Structure formats: structure tokens, C-alpha cells
Amino acid sequence: MNAMASIPLLALKIKGRSALSNPIGRFGGLVRDSGNPRLETTELIERRPKTSVTAEHARSIISRNQSPDIPFELSINPYRGCEHGCFYCYARPNHSTINMSPGLEFETRLSAKLNTVELLRKELAAPSYVASAINLGSATDCYQPIEREYQLTRGILETLLAARHPVTIVTKSSLIERDLDLLVPLAQQNLVQVFLSITSLDSKLSQLMEPRAAAPHSRLKTVKQLSNAGIPVGVLVAPIIPFINEPEIEAIVDQAAQAGARSVHYTVLRMPWEVAELSKIWLETHFPDRADRVLRRVQEMRGGKDNGPRFGTRMKGQGVWAQLIKARMHAAARRNRLQNKRLFLDSSLFNPGPLRRSFQPTLQTEQMELFS
């Protein structure tokens, strides 16, 4: 039986959006402005929804990770949802937990945690806090377009620099260049490492996969800018999708090395929860000639299922095809003398003293005025 046979297709698309449906999350109905809890996807598409941002006041801001597959213990996500709109984003199912759709609503209905900096200062200054590198961008991109207005990520970096606290950053955005004045002094103290995600060198394919993220040539330029400024930067080829961007593995690694990347890392496509349906619709719409073949190959790397959540294999898969991708990545990295290990950042410099005294992020007042 054709693996795609049961996937509904849509005749309409939204320019600048990758999700082609707005499925109800696994936790039940949705609450929408229209008052209709089950607004049809086609109606939503015809409305061409614009990005909306809701103010949120979080109870805490530092999340703690217990997964052995993720190379950091602490993370901060100042935003919910992500306007970059990557169809494959494993964070999409998180929108279901706040009674929104992991589909179009994930990339159009966002929230900004306005008290991010205030909470961060409080949590870092707690006597019981033990410093460990904090990751920005683990769920949604901390430099997505709305960061230009809210500047929460910049406020985080100001706070971490003041306290000499280590940080790692994952992004698809060239907006990170705005914060070179903070990143350079962090790098000089061995307190920062940046990772640029580059999934394709083909601008058209990149636009289909990540419609509101920076173009591939812009990301490579950003790698070069950061590297030239003395900031350790790596490239993530993530996710690798068989028969879609998988043929570009070697070319991406080569270009990353030429731009000044120090390391290269990868993952293969994950399809947890609602991401499976969204991915299948995306494949059938944009690549009907190979959609079924792509899905079968992904399932081969996931033990015959859409998603393999088991620790140790969930990021890179298992089996023959997963081993082949691993071999190709490692060969390309060796040829370009790139590392596949993350930099050890210095936590011993951490000093919360300035946070307990007079340090005030310069943008905190401006953030609140956006909602006045």
C-alpha cells in the first residue's frame, strides 16, 4: 500500500509558510479568535494569516534537560512558536500543550516571554545555582524575525556577559551578527559557541523547507563573519532528509569549512507526534515523485516507524542507511579537518555579583513599552 495514500492534500498554499495544514493538537480542540474551535484549514489559508505575538509572563526561564542525546543541561527559549516555519521542526508538538495547532498556528501565533531577563537574573543570582553552559535556540530560534523588535535574546546575552556565564547558540538567522558586540567579549573569555543550521545550499529548496529563515548564502556569510570575529562557530546539517537534501551532505560540509566553521554536526529527520502528518503532506505536495520513497527510507532508520524516540538513536537513526549517512558526514569532516566535538566552555568564571547589584539590561523598558 502506498504510504502516502491516506494523507489529505490541499489546493491552496500560503506564501512564506511551510505548514500546509492546521491539525488539531493531540490534547483536544483549539481556541481561536473566530470562536470556531475547528476552523477548516482551507478557510485559514484563504485568510493568509499574519504573524501575531502575545505577551507572556513565564514562571521560570531556565529549563533543565535530562536527555543523554542533548549535549547541554540548561536551556532558555524566550519565544513560543517560530516564524521561520520549518516544516520538520520537532518543537511543533509543543504548541499542542498550549491548546494551539502544531501546524500553521505554530508559525503564525507566537508568544514572547517579556520577563525573560528579569527571571534569568533572579535564577542566576540564587545561592543554589550551579553554572553550566546555557543553550539558546534548543526549541525555537532565538533569532527569529520577532527578535528584531523584542530583543529578548540580546537581553539574555547582556545578562550572561555581565555574569561571565557560558552560552551556546543555535540559529538559522543572520540577525545574530547584530550582537557581535556581546559575542566577541564572550568568546574572548571562552564563554560562547555558535552553531548555524544549514540544511541546503539550494535557495529554492531552503525556501520550501524553512520559508522565513535566512537564505543559504546569508548563513554561510554569517559563519564567515563570526569566524573572522574570533567566535567559535560550527555548522549543523540538520535534519538530513533522504533524497531531499541528503545528496548535498558533502557540498554543505565543504562550504561550511571554507566559510570558517570549526566543527560540523548532523541529525536525520525526526517525525514525532503531529510532525509526521505535516511532513507527509509537505513531501506529497512538493515532491510527489519521491514522497513515498523518502518516507520508507526514514522509517527504515526508525525501526519501521515514523519516529524512533529511543535515546541513543533518535537523533541519527539506526540501520544501514543511518550508518551510511554517518560515514559520509565523518569522511567529509575529516577531509576538511573539521571537528565533530563541541567546545568546552569555561564555567569557572561565573560571577553573579553584578546581577545582585546594579546591572540593568538596556532594553527591558523598551520591551514592556511594546505592549503599552
Side-chain angles (χ1 to χ4, degrees), residues 128-162:
S128 60
Y129 179 78
V130 177
S132 176
I134 290 176
N135 178 264
L136 305 181
S138 61
T140 58
D141 202 313
C142 59
Y143 281 105
Q144 61 177 290
I146 60 173
E147 166 63 16
R148 294 184 184 278
E149 296 181 55
Y150 297 101
Q151 303 194 41
L152 298 176
T153 298
R154 182 168 177 84
I156 292 170
L157 292 179
E158 288 178 329
T159 303
L160 296 178
L161 177 59

Side-chain angles (χ1 to χ4, degrees), residues 121 159 161-164 350-360:
R121 293 181 65 212
T159 303
L161 177 59
R164 297 198 294 181
F350 175 60
N351 176 17
L355 306 184
R356 295 168 179 161
R357 296 194 295 268
S358 60
F359 176 70
Q360 291 290 338

Side-chain angles (χ1 to χ4, degrees), residues 93-299:
N94 291 343
H95 244 44
S96 295
T97 65
I98 55 173
N99 207 29
M100 290 190 189
S101 172
L104 285 167
E105 288 189 335
F106 176 79
E107 52 196 272
T108 60
R109 299 189 64 179
L110 317 177
S111 64
K113 302 173 186 178
L114 296 189
N115 59 338
T116 290
V117 174
E118 176 187 350
L119 287 175
L120 178 60
R121 293 181 65 212
K122 179 180 178 181
E123 293 178 33
L124 294 184
S128 60
Y129 179 78
V130 177
S132 176
I134 290 176
N135 178 264
L136 305 181
S138 61
T140 58
D141 202 313
C142 59
Y143 281 105
Q144 61 177 290
I146 60 173
E147 166 63 16
R148 294 184 184 278
E149 296 181 55
Y150 297 101
Q151 303 194 41
L152 298 176
T153 298
R154 182 168 177 84
I156 292 170
L157 292 179
E158 288 178 329
T159 303
L160 296 178
L161 177 59
R164 297 198 294 181
H165 191 291
V167 59
T168 60
I169 303 171
V170 178
T171 185
K172 291 181 170 69
S173 175
S174 294
L175 179 58
I176 191 174
E177 295 178 29
R178 177 201 67 187
D179 294 337
L180 279 171
D181 62 317
L182 302 173
L183 296 171
V184 168
L186 282 166
Q188 291 171 342
Q189 300 174 78
N190 190 28
L191 294 174
V192 68
Q193 185 173 24
V194 174
F195 299 93
L196 263 291
S197 175
I198 301 177
T199 49
S200 176
L201 300 175
D202 183 332
S203 294
K204 292 183 179 179
L205 175 57
S206 181
Q207 190 173 43
L208 291 178
M209 294 175 67
E210 309 148 342
R212 298 201 177 193
H217 70 273
S218 295
R219 295 185 221 181
L220 287 169
K221 180 181 176 182
T222 297
V223 172
K224 187 172 184 178
Q225 290 280 82
L226 295 175
S227 178
N228 288 346
I231 299 164
V233 56
V235 163
L236 301 176
V237 189
I240 292 174
I241 307 173
F243 310 116
I244 303 297
N245 66 338
E246 164 262 320
E248 298 185 70
I249 287 175
E250 290 78 8
I252 295 174
V253 175
D254 291 346
Q255 290 292 312
Q258 291 177 28
R262 298 188 188 183
S263 63
V264 64
H265 312 268
Y266 78 98
T267 64
V268 298
L269 178 65
R270 296 171 57 195
M271 297 194 297
W273 301 106
E274 296 90 346
V275 176
E277 177 186 349
L278 293 165
S279 297
K280 292 171 185 177
I281 294 175
W282 186 92
L283 285 166
E284 184 62 31
T285 301
H286 297 297
F287 296 95
D289 60 320
R290 69 192 88 162
D292 194 58
R293 187 159 55 120
V294 171
L295 182 59
R296 286 201 305 270
R297 181 61 51 84
V298 170
Q299 291 172 337

